[in-house]
Amino acid sequence: MAAKPSGAQGDRPRRLRASPQSAPPQSAPPQSASPESAPPESGSSESLEGPRTEPSLSLDRIVAAAVELLDTRGVDGLKMRQLADRLGAGAMSLYWHVENKEMVFDLALDSVLAYRGPPQKAESRDWRGEVFHMLEDWRASMLRHPWSASLLPRRALGPNILSRLELLSNTLSRAGVADADLNAAIWSLWNYVIGATVTRASFVLSDEDRSVAQQRLTGLGEHYPTIERSRLLLDDDWDGAFRKGLDFLLDGLAPRS
Amino acid sequence: MAAKPSGAQGDRPRRLRASPQSAPPQSAPPQSASPESAPPESGSSESLEGPRTEPSLSLDRIVAAAVELLDTRGVDGLKMRQLADRLGAGAMSLYWHVENKEMVFDLALDSVLAYRGPPQKAESRDWRGEVFHMLEDWRASMLRHPWSASLLPRRALGPNILSRLELLSNTLSRAGVADADLNAAIWSLWNYVIGATVTRASFVLSDEDRSVAQQRLTGLGEHYPTIERSRLLLDDDWDGAFRKGLDFLLDGLAPRS
DNA sequence: ACCTGAACACCGTTCAAGT
DNA sequence: ACCTGAACACCGTTCAAGT
């Protein structure tokens, strides 16, 4: 479906660091500074010159700081000036490394989506368990960075998310999903995970908020009898609901055998 | 699940128009100026004074203009100054009618989500057809206003969307979905529709964009063999994919009989 | 090659004031 | 009750310079 792998957004004329997205996603982690990766290897090429107190600006450092800022301040809380400040750099220094704020979003987003693979050895015959694990891990990764889910559907697709889709596709294919159904199956799961995660990350309400919401619904009870009775807005078990719905969907997807 | 019907956002201290969301959603349409509604009844109370050339500001007019602006300019294109300008009002006049920009978003969003009901008479026994129609209509309403889908999960739930959820819940319940599964079923469908629509509204690429994307994927083919072969990113049939996935999900949801 | 401050063209919102 | 312009405290980004 009309999605766009990053790097495809037309040639940008001006100064631009070598795009890390063009590196193969498997071999070396594109952003080693990603909080999802192993501890950043701070040692650069030469360690002869002693410790750098203020390592100069780099894409990796920028991306890592952006993720931190996004985690604490949210999507609207990421300001270019503040990001530079955090890095001990002058206000406008970022613009030598990145094209614009959009690019910061793209890089931060994909850096958060690295997948480590299933816990046990590969080639399990339990395709359903594998898919379940992949999607729960995907959701968990995004919930660890609540700004990421809402960004994902509207940004270029980076190497990490493409790898996840590749693995998902491969697994479903091996499980026996017909080629003609494969894309529809993948997008169904994509839709479900994105919808669930965006919703869960967005509706963050205190207990009081929620009880006020339900009270309000009760007040209007005559208009919403069914969802009032089922306490739709009070339901708290996000994880359980996610798994239950995923079960429904996988039941429907399962190749009839 | 922890969602919040609008109006529950705590008492605001300052000037504030009587919230139209508190009106029952069924009886009278909350925003008669909504583009989803019948032609706006421009005649106010007294028609004795002749035609007003410049009808004074009102919540309805503001909401209608906001929807127009959002449709043409997108989420980031809605500016309070420009909105006032469109209404022939002074720059800051809006703030007497609305609390802030957030409130404009909430009202515009719900105004776009009115549901007219199924085409034929009620009480059909075809629950699956009913659900299908409701969800396709919901998606279509949001795609007519591409900014709406991404806004829905993070805003207060207005009367129109609550009505849709109520009807959906009621239909599923009548169809035989167990009470214990009801909320999970509703949120599954919500997740699917939101994910599908947000994605479809966001990935708007030209044909050239898409072929560039696929070419790029082919270039990296060794890393993404499966999705490269299935042409995941080239697939164009959004409507078909939506229906197919919905079929999968409803298969899983269908009460075993 | 890499970084910088000043400046530009915007924003949402407050406020004191008008009718 | 309803509307207004000026002003405040911000933004992202450009630009001409610095080293």
Side-chain angles (χ1 to χ4, degrees):
Chain A
M1 202 125 311
K4 156 173 86 166
S6 68
Q9 53 258 51
D11 293 70
R12 295 277 169 66
R14 309 192 320 112
R15 53 211 166 149
L16 185 58
R17 284 271 39 76
S19 153
Q21 300 106 301
S22 49
Q26 242 76 268
S27 48
Q31 278 89 39
S32 65
S34 156
E36 305 305 304
S37 316
E41 312 165 18
S42 58
S44 85
S45 44
E46 337 267 342
S47 48
L48 300 173
E49 325 201 6
R52 294 164 162 269
T53 36
E54 194 60 73
S56 68
L57 239 36
S58 74
L59 249 197
D60 284 359
R61 288 191 65 226
I62 291 173
V63 172
V67 169
E68 253 181 66
L69 213 44
L70 284 163
D71 285 348
T72 60
R73 306 282 226 269
V75 196
D76 295 333
L78 180 65
K79 322 285 169 102
M80 292 301 270
R81 292 174 216 251
Q82 194 178 349
L83 180 54
D85 229 57
R86 278 248 191 157
L87 292 163
M92 296 296 98
S93 309
L94 300 177
Y95 284 91
W96 196 88
H97 298 268
V98 300
E99 188 85 349
N100 48 31
K101 196 178 176 179
E102 256 193 52
M103 186 172 166
V104 177
F105 276 128
D106 285 337
L107 295 174
L109 179 57
D110 201 62
S111 86
V112 134
L113 291 171
Y115 183 56
R116 275 192 244 302
Q120 38 262 21
K121 3 286 280 309
E123 294 300 319
S124 142
R125 278 288 83 83
D126 175 22
W127 72 271
R128 185 158 175 144
E130 277 178 37
V131 169
F132 220 94
H133 177 268
M134 287 168 45
L135 298 186
E136 284 208 291
D137 178 272
W138 182 12
R139 170 172 178 268
S141 293
M142 292 193 287
L143 287 182
R144 247 174 274 133
H145 309 278
W147 46 273
S148 63
S150 66
L151 247 40
L152 182 51
R154 49 177 154 168
R155 308 229 62 91
L157 299 179
N160 281 330
I161 185 60
L162 284 177
S163 288
R164 283 183 185 263
L165 292 176
E166 167 67 20
L167 187 55
L168 184 60
S169 185
N170 190 315
T171 305
L172 290 175
S173 184
R174 278 188 291 114
V177 172
D179 275 8
D181 288 344
L182 199 52
N183 285 350
I186 293 172
W187 288 119
S188 296
L189 293 169
W190 162 289
N191 291 339
Y192 180 76
V193 172
I194 294 293
T197 312
V198 160
T199 302
R200 200 273 175 273
S202 303
F203 288 146
V204 280
L205 298 176
S206 67
D207 288 346
E208 194 194 318
D209 281 335
R210 245 181 292 118
S211 84
V212 167
Q214 179 67 29
Q215 274 171 25
R216 200 181 140 70
L217 208 57
T218 304
L220 302 170
E222 47 179 331
H223 298 105
Y224 311 110
T226 317
I227 59 177
E228 199 274 320
R229 183 159 39 83
S230 72
R231 306 189 104 48
L232 182 67
L233 302 187
L234 268 186
D235 200 331
D236 223 346
D237 184 18
W238 296 91
D239 295 354
F242 177 79
R243 278 193 289 268
K244 209 162 177 175
L246 188 50
D247 264 330
F248 290 146
L249 186 50
L250 291 180
D251 283 346
L253 280 179
R256 321 292 176 203
S257 54
Chain B
M1 206 125 317
K4 153 172 89 168
S6 69
Q9 54 257 52
D11 293 71
R12 294 277 170 66
R14 309 193 320 114
R15 52 209 168 154
L16 184 60
R17 283 270 37 76
S19 153
Q21 301 106 300
S22 48
Q26 242 76 268
S27 48
Q31 280 88 36
S32 65
S34 156
E36 305 306 302
S37 313
E41 313 165 17
S42 58
S44 86
S45 43
E46 335 268 344
S47 49
L48 300 173
E49 325 203 4
R52 295 162 163 271
T53 37
E54 195 59 71
S56 67
L57 238 36
S58 74
L59 248 197
D60 283 359
R61 287 191 67 227
I62 292 173
V63 171
V67 169
E68 254 181 67
L69 213 43
L70 284 164
D71 285 348
T72 60
R73 305 284 225 269
V75 195
D76 295 333
L78 181 65
K79 322 287 169 102
M80 292 301 271
R81 291 173 217 252
Q82 194 178 351
L83 181 55
D85 229 56
R86 277 247 192 159
L87 292 163
M92 297 296 100
S93 308
L94 299 176
Y95 284 90
W96 195 87
H97 298 268
V98 300
E99 187 86 349
N100 48 30
K101 197 179 175 178
E102 255 192 55
M103 186 172 166
V104 177
F105 275 127
D106 285 339
L107 295 174
L109 178 57
D110 201 63
S111 87
V112 134
L113 290 170
Y115 183 56
R116 274 192 245 303
Q120 37 260 23
K121 4 287 278 309
E123 293 300 320
S124 141
R125 280 286 85 82
D126 175 22
W127 73 270
R128 186 159 173 143
E130 274 178 40
V131 169
F132 220 94
H133 177 268
M134 287 169 44
L135 298 187
E136 283 207 289
D137 178 272
W138 182 11
R139 172 172 177 268
S141 293
M142 291 193 286
L143 286 182
R144 248 175 274 132
H145 309 278
W147 46 272
S148 62
S150 65
L151 247 41
L152 182 50
R154 49 176 151 169
R155 308 229 60 91
L157 266 37
N160 280 330
I161 185 60
L162 285 178
S163 287
R164 282 182 186 264
L165 293 176
E166 167 67 20
L167 187 56
L168 183 60
S169 185
N170 190 316
T171 305
L172 290 175
S173 184
R174 279 189 291 114
V177 173
D179 276 7
D181 288 343
L182 200 52
N183 284 350
I186 293 173
W187 286 120
S188 296
L189 293 169
W190 163 288
N191 291 339
Y192 180 76
V193 172
I194 294 292
T197 311
V198 161
T199 301
R200 201 274 174 273
S202 303
F203 288 147
V204 279
L205 298 176
S206 67
D207 288 346
E208 194 194 319
D209 281 335
R210 246 182 289 120
S211 83
V212 168
Q214 179 67 29
Q215 273 171 26
R216 198 181 141 70
L217 207 58
T218 304
L220 302 171
E222 47 180 330
H223 298 104
Y224 312 111
T226 316
I227 59 177
E228 199 273 321
R229 184 160 38 82
S230 71
R231 306 189 107 44
L232 182 68
L233 303 187
L234 269 185
D235 201 330
D236 223 343
D237 184 20
W238 296 89
D239 295 354
F242 177 79
R243 279 193 289 267
K244 210 162 176 175
L246 189 51
D247 264 328
F248 291 145
L249 186 50
L250 291 179
D251 283 345
L253 279 178
R256 324 290 176 201
S257 53

